[in-house]
Amino acid sequence: MGMPDVPVGIGSSGGVGDDIELEVYEAQYSRPSPCIFQSGMELVFTALESVPPKSTQLLCISSLSDVATLIREREELFISKVKEVVVMGGVVSPEMGDTLVPDSAYNNNCDISAARFVYRRCQELGIPTITLSRWAAYGCPMPPQLLDELASTEHMVARNIRSVSRVSVDQLWKKVRLHPSDPRREKLPNRCDVNWFCRIFMSKGEISKDWKASVWPLVQKLNMYDPLALLLAVPAYRAAHFCCKEKNVNDVTHLVVGTSERDTGIKNKLALFDEYSTLFLSAFEESLHRQEYS
């Protein structure tokens, strides 16, 4: 993407047991870099120490294991530097109970004890949380054809995203066909079965559980969990595209986008799709332009 100096830290396995082999998606363009740090936590500590008080957003798009480690090991640093925590995950309905509690979202499920700890301590410490749920992602799906359009830029990352998306969807199809007790499902919630897969990735109809070929040609929609969470972290995009439910805990307002299938928290899904698809295309094209003239 033309940003070789941006530091990247290697985090933990996110709550996945040592006996489970993690899925790693390779990229032919991957190269060693002095900006890759073996200890992601040390990189986070250093970054937070270098910024002004209450100036940092934490954007969490996977397990909350490492955020829990940050709070446990450097709580004062966390309190003094973090202004809000944006989470791609989910919570039990904000109307239930006095506090926010993480639900069975996949990212929470990877390390549910860490998720409960992070939400509880953020609310106790007065650090605002902003949660984007799966319902929000379901409310603004993306047609797979956009991946073809992005790949047409000939950007190697765009082409890899299209390739990896096909592989990951096919792997997900294999997992949802397994019995809920099968360890090969990893941390996939029990609700994610064949019926769920067909409802989420296809416009209508179902396919046989015995379908062995790639399901990619049958997919009609994909869900942009992480890009939507990133947009939610930007105040202008948050105001333009998302309806947030508020939950006041200890005089601090926490926000939740998407509380049910009917209440997705998306103001206008067509406008939001136009927004992020344009951003995707412009990012890849600008990256190619920058590299061409660097």
Side-chain angles (χ1 to χ4, degrees):
M1 297 303 294
M3 298 182 289
D5 298 330
V6 175
V8 175
I10 299 175
S12 71
S13 61
V16 177
D18 295 335
D19 58 329
I20 296 177
E21 184 176 352
L22 294 174
E23 295 174 359
V24 178
Y25 300 106
E26 299 291 346
Q28 293 183 351
Y29 52 81
S30 297
R31 297 289 186 276
S33 169
C35 291
I36 297 178
F37 294 79
Q38 292 299 315
S39 173
M41 294 311 305
E42 289 300 322
L43 177 59
V44 170
F45 297 156
T46 300
L48 289 178
E49 288 166 350
S50 68
V51 298
K54 292 296 180 184
S55 64
T56 301
Q57 284 179 308
L58 289 185
L59 174 60
C60 309
I61 57 174
S62 60
S63 162
L64 292 178
S65 298
D66 291 342
V67 183
T69 298
L70 167 61
I71 298 173
R72 288 190 176 103
E73 295 188 5
R74 301 291 299 276
E75 185 175 281
E76 288 302 319
L77 180 66
F78 176 79
I79 296 171
S80 65
K81 299 302 180 78
V82 175
K83 66 177 181 180
E84 63 184 19
V85 179
V86 182
V87 181
M88 175 61 243
V91 293
V92 177
S93 174
E95 298 175 358
M96 298 178 62
D98 296 327
T99 61
L100 291 178
V101 178
D103 66 6
S104 64
Y106 177 79
N107 286 349
N108 292 335
N109 227 29
C110 287
D111 190 345
I112 190 62
S113 62
R116 290 169 179 158
F117 174 80
V118 169
Y119 272 97
R120 176 173 60 81
R121 289 304 287 152
C122 282
Q123 291 171 92
E124 291 172 347
L125 297 171
I127 306 296
T129 62
I130 305 168
T131 303
L132 184 92
S133 77
R134 65 182 183 276
W135 302 115
Y138 296 167
C140 187
M142 179 195 82
Q145 290 75 17
L146 178 59
L147 298 183
D148 296 328
E149 187 176 356
L150 297 177
S152 70
T153 64
E154 295 297 320
H155 196 294
M156 60 183 70
V157 174
R159 294 167 67 180
N160 192 61
I161 289 173
R162 181 178 61 177
S163 175
V164 166
S165 296
R166 174 171 182 157
V167 171
S168 62
V169 167
D170 281 337
Q171 288 179 336
L172 179 59
W173 169 245
K174 292 178 181 178
K175 291 179 182 179
V176 301
R177 294 162 54 207
L178 299 172
H179 189 274
S181 63
D182 194 309
R184 291 174 295 175
R185 285 175 59 93
E186 298 177 4
K187 299 288 185 174
L188 196 65
N190 290 346
R191 58 181 164 76
C192 298
D193 56 13
V194 170
N195 291 333
W196 168 85
F197 184 96
C198 294
R199 187 173 68 255
I200 297 303
F201 292 94
M202 303 174 188
S203 295
K204 57 183 179 179
E206 295 185 5
I207 56 177
S208 169
K209 186 177 180 179
D210 298 325
W211 184 277
K212 300 286 178 61
S214 172
V215 295
W216 183 254
L218 306 177
V219 170
Q220 298 295 314
K221 49 189 178 179
L222 300 169
N223 299 305
M224 295 292 97
Y225 301 99
D226 298 347
L228 293 184
L230 177 58
L231 288 180
L232 183 62
V234 181
Y237 292 136
R238 185 186 307 171
H241 297 295
F242 301 99
C243 295
C244 302
K245 289 288 183 68
E246 296 185 353
K247 179 76 169 183
N248 191 281
V249 181
N250 296 329
D251 296 323
V252 173
T253 299
H254 301 262
L255 304 179
V256 180
V257 178
T259 58
S260 68
E261 187 173 2
R262 290 187 175 183
D263 181 11
T264 65
I266 303 300
K267 290 184 177 181
N268 184 320
K269 66 180 182 180
L270 294 179
L272 181 52
F273 170 74
D274 286 343
E275 186 84 78
Y276 70 66
S277 59
T278 299
L279 288 170
F280 286 159
L281 283 168
S282 62
F284 287 125
E285 291 170 350
E286 171 63 21
S287 172
L288 290 170
H289 181 79
R290 186 165 55 245
Q291 293 177 47
E292 181 179 352
Y293 291 97
S294 62

